Amino acid sequence: MRHIPMGFYVAVQSETGTQRTSNRPALVCQDIVEWDEEIPLPSEPLAKISLMLHTTFELGERLGTGELLHQVDITVGRLLTCKKRTKFVKILHQDAGSVHLSRFSFEIEMDQRVPGQNEDLGRPTPAVSDEVRQLTESTNVGHSALTRYRELQEQQTLDEAIRHFEHARGLSELDRPSHGTVLFNLATAKLMHCRTNNATPDLGASIDLYRAALCLRPRGHPDHPFVLLSLGVALKARFQRKKQ
């Protein structure tokens, strides 16, 4: 079972810091994700940058970095000499709730500007509290553990993901906008644990967590359809288990 992605964004990292595009929905009816946003790059041709494609599990307030799908390391000079420089990522196909990115391309439009032009681009990242920083870190480590579990199928990595998502829930305040995401992440990890270990208590806990997350993501919220879909998957799993 894969964690169903809700959106995609690209992070561009250079010596001056990391900047991100907006989070665009992952739609099964589209095979291209496109951004029309300006991100300033260093002017030195030998400067190294990293283009990182991430998938996210929320469309509302983003918590953490999501899952890193692919990274390209290149110099500014090399990027300028590339023949293709439009800006999209191709998604080949979707099935059974999964989005497969076995082959895709970054294509980026480049424009050289004189010094001082559009200096307001690339605003600094706002400061965050220690609590938010710890919450974000626990969430990121949890997603990284889930990624390793899907690749290696090692039980300890799934257990690690659950521990970090549990820790994130302990750090998250009920009135925090991202609390629904915290519950959703933990619910998904517990549902995975239930399916791989036949652990019925985890299935019940997953359903309760999805329902709590759905209360925080009512109709009209961008994450509502995805949480509702995940709750349906968990309820179907319980129904099938009772039939057996």
Side-chain angles (χ1 to χ4, degrees), residues 9-21 39-44 46-54 65 68 70-76 79 106 108 122 125 140:
Y9 74 92
V10 175
V12 181
Q13 186 177 58
S14 68
E15 59 184 8
T16 59
T18 302
Q19 298 172 73
R20 298 175 176 86
T21 66
I39 294 181
L41 300 177
S43 58
E44 173 57 49
L46 295 179
K48 296 180 180 180
I49 61 172
S50 297
L51 304 173
M52 297 170 286
L53 174 65
H54 292 259
T65 59
L68 177 63
H70 192 69
Q71 177 171 330
V72 174
D73 299 314
I74 193 170
T75 64
V76 173
L79 193 59
F106 285 112
I108 305 164
T125 304
N140 287 340

Side-chain angles (χ1 to χ4, degrees), residues 16-188:
T16 59
T18 302
Q19 298 172 73
R20 298 175 176 86
T21 66
S22 58
N23 193 22
R24 292 295 176 90
L27 303 177
V28 296
C29 59
Q30 297 179 349
D31 61 356
I32 291 176
V33 180
E34 184 174 1
W35 295 268
D36 186 14
E37 301 168 29
E38 294 183 346
I39 294 181
L41 300 177
S43 58
E44 173 57 49
L46 295 179
K48 296 180 180 180
I49 61 172
S50 297
L51 304 173
M52 297 170 286
L53 174 65
H54 292 259
T55 184
T56 63
F57 307 101
E58 62 275 323
L59 291 176
E61 178 173 322
R62 191 166 64 219
L63 177 62
T65 59
E67 181 180 343
L68 177 63
L69 295 176
H70 192 69
Q71 177 171 330
V72 174
D73 299 314
I74 193 170
T75 64
V76 173
R78 174 59 180 162
L79 193 59
L80 285 168
T81 60
C82 289
K83 293 182 179 179
K84 293 184 178 180
R85 293 190 303 230
T86 52
K87 51 186 182 312
F88 59 80
V89 176
K90 291 182 178 178
I91 303 174
L92 291 185
H93 60 279
Q94 301 89 2
D95 62 79
S98 297
V99 176
H100 299 272
L101 290 163
S102 54
R103 184 169 63 101
F104 58 92
S105 61
F106 285 112
E107 295 192 359
I108 305 164
E109 289 183 350
M110 302 289 291
D111 182 24
Q112 291 180 292
R113 303 190 177 184
V114 298
Q117 185 178 8
N118 288 345
E119 291 183 348
D120 59 327
L121 294 175
R123 301 171 202 167
T125 304
V128 298
S129 65
D130 289 339
E131 291 79 7
V132 172
R133 189 176 297 107
Q134 292 177 27
L135 175 60
T136 301
E137 182 179 350
S138 292
T139 300
N140 287 340
V141 176
H143 282 312
S144 296
L146 279 186
T147 300
R148 294 199 310 275
Y149 170 72
R150 286 194 293 268
E151 294 172 350
L152 306 175
Q153 294 296 303
E154 294 179 349
Q155 180 62 42
Q156 61 266 30
T157 58
L158 181 55
D159 294 338
E160 179 186 352
I162 292 176
R163 286 197 303 272
H164 284 288
F165 288 144
E166 287 275 18
H167 184 240
R169 181 173 64 167
L171 294 172
S172 179
E173 299 175 359
L174 294 177
D175 59 350
R176 187 181 296 279
S178 60
H179 189 67
T181 299
V182 172
L183 300 178
F184 181 86
N185 290 335
L186 180 57
T188 300

